[in-house]
Amino acid sequence: MRKIGSVPISQTVSCLDGYDPDALHVDKAREAMRACITPLADSETVPVRSALGRVLAEEIVPPINVPAHDNSAMDGYAVRFAELSCAGKPFAGSVGAGQCVRIMTGAVLPAGADTVVIQEVAKREGDRIIVPPGQKRAQHVRYAGEDLKIGVPVLTQGQSLRPAELGLIASLGIGEVRVKRKLRVAFFSTGDELASVGTALKEGEVYDSNRYTLHGMLQRLGVEIEDLGVVRDDPKALEAALRKAAKADAIITTGGVSVGEADFIRELMARLGEVLFWKIAMRPGRPMAFGRIGDAFLFGLPGNPVAVMVTFYQFVRDALLHLSGRRDDYAIPLLKATAADNLRKVPGRTEYQRGVLFREGDVWKARITGQQGSGVLRSMAEANCFIVLEHERGAVKAGEQVAVQLMEGLA
């Protein structure tokens, strides 16, 4: 279960410094969403192999040391005894003065030995080993607990589990792990002009691409997805769709709901929950809605395809990860590149131009992908990054530094 706060969203956001729903800065919109969203509390126990991409719901504290024993980091000789020792078969004796033992990588360091001389530098003459000068005490030795120590936490609640974390958990002999349950996200498109793929286009209609980009973006977040299709601009149809979608943790709509110009939309939202209609100082993606229908948080995105993807990655992704219980730093990194060409920009809004990041010699440069209209989905398909032009920035000249967000693994 997820407890929903009783404080109205409008009251929460009104307390934020600089909050203006008719000219909302990008950072302030993110802050407003985060302030209103209560993360999931529900968790479940799953096998470690099924935990990839899930959010950890418990602290991982090692019940054993890793490695469990002092051992050799290299093949060679443990100074002091003349006997073979292999990984998994510890040498039972002890190493005396003037003696050494043959040892392999990962083998337990024999009692009395404290240093490993690698085989490449040691010279064998009969039953004697000649060790050259220049060796250092404790070289090539891995100590018990050097990686993970009993009782010292290594993973914290709220981390996303990657392959490395799965291996780390397995190295402790742990076969199951408690994770937050997956988010349930329902979405639909609105508009009488939209046709579903597989149907014949009527005059004035266009195929709905937004549900396909949304499905792909949500899949990459690892959430449970419910596609409710295309909903016509009809009060009854819209109410039915919202009531059904409200059974999920989050609702995403594209089209007229975000604009909220029709009286029936605002009245419907007020009756079913609480939704704020924003004009964000950004391009593309100015109109947007945020609120709550029942226990589900609603994100009303613009209808233009590029605007849908930009607003999803700049707002919805962040909000959903926060809702899922993530506590680590999941912000999309901003990197620096050199503008390859002049870029048009007016101060007073943040722009997300679709670009190509490329290397010219030792210099990383970025250029835009042609037409930047919010309906030109090709500008996204040809891009490998967003060129992020800050709110107060004006036109950019070739050679100036710009911020970029990589799309690899994201868009």
Side-chain angles (χ1 to χ4, degrees), residues 17-100:
D17 292 337
Y19 174 74
D20 181 358
D22 293 320
L24 196 61
H25 286 215
V26 167
D27 290 343
K28 193 60 61 176
R30 291 197 192 103
E31 182 183 352
M33 291 179 185
R34 182 177 284 257
C36 297
I37 291 175
T38 304
L40 289 178
D42 299 354
S43 64
E44 59 183 347
T45 299
V46 301
V48 171
R49 280 185 171 175
S50 300
L52 183 64
R54 301 295 293 275
V55 178
L56 192 60
E58 63 180 346
E59 189 175 61
I60 301 296
V61 180
I64 61 173
N65 282 326
V66 178
H69 310 279
D70 296 350
N71 68 90
S72 176
M74 302 288 285
D75 292 349
Y77 296 91
V79 176
R80 309 180 348 168
F81 198 75
E83 197 59 55
L84 181 66
S85 178
C86 298
K89 297 180 180 179
F91 173 67
S94 61
V95 179
Q99 300 174 328
C100 67

Side-chain angles (χ1 to χ4, degrees), residues 187-194 208 210-211 229-234 237-238 241-242 252-259 265 269 301-303:
F187 66 93
F188 59 87
S189 299
T190 62
D192 291 336
E193 78 284 3
L194 297 178
D208 175 24
N210 290 336
R211 285 175 28 245
V230 175
V231 178
R232 300 300 172 190
D233 293 327
D234 172 76
L238 186 56
L242 287 171
I252 303 175
T253 69
T254 64
V257 172
S258 65
V259 179
I265 291 178
M269 297 297 189
L301 309 185

Side-chain angles (χ1 to χ4, degrees), residues 7-15 19 36 274 276:
V7 178
I9 286 177
S10 57
Q11 181 178 330
T12 301
V13 299
S14 66
C15 296
Y19 174 74
C36 297
E274 182 187 12
L276 307 178

Side-chain angles (χ1 to χ4, degrees), residues 22 36 103 123 153 213 246 255 270 272 340 344 353 370 377 385 394-395 399:
D22 293 320
C36 297
I103 195 168
K123 183 179 179 181
T213 54
L272 298 180
R344 291 187 296 176
Q353 300 192 10
L377 194 52
C385 71

Side-chain angles (χ1 to χ4, degrees), residues 151-226:
V152 179
V154 291
L155 297 177
T156 59
Q157 181 179 345
Q159 282 187 254
S160 177
L161 296 175
R162 304 169 302 172
E165 281 79 25
L166 300 189
L168 185 151
I169 294 169
S171 75
L172 297 171
I174 298 172
E176 293 184 328
V177 64
R178 190 157 59 89
V179 296
K180 294 296 182 83
R181 71 162 173 82
K182 288 187 176 184
L183 282 184
R184 297 187 296 268
V185 181
F187 66 93
F188 59 87
S189 299
T190 62
D192 291 336
E193 78 284 3
L194 297 178
S196 295
V197 172
T199 64
L201 285 178
K202 299 176 183 177
E203 185 176 357
E205 288 187 336
V206 296
Y207 285 120
D208 175 24
S209 64
N210 290 336
R211 285 175 28 245
Y212 289 82
T213 54
L214 275 174
H215 192 276
M217 292 185 291
L218 288 168
Q219 272 193 313
R220 284 195 162 173
L221 290 185
V223 303
E224 294 180 359
I225 304 169
E226 184 176 11

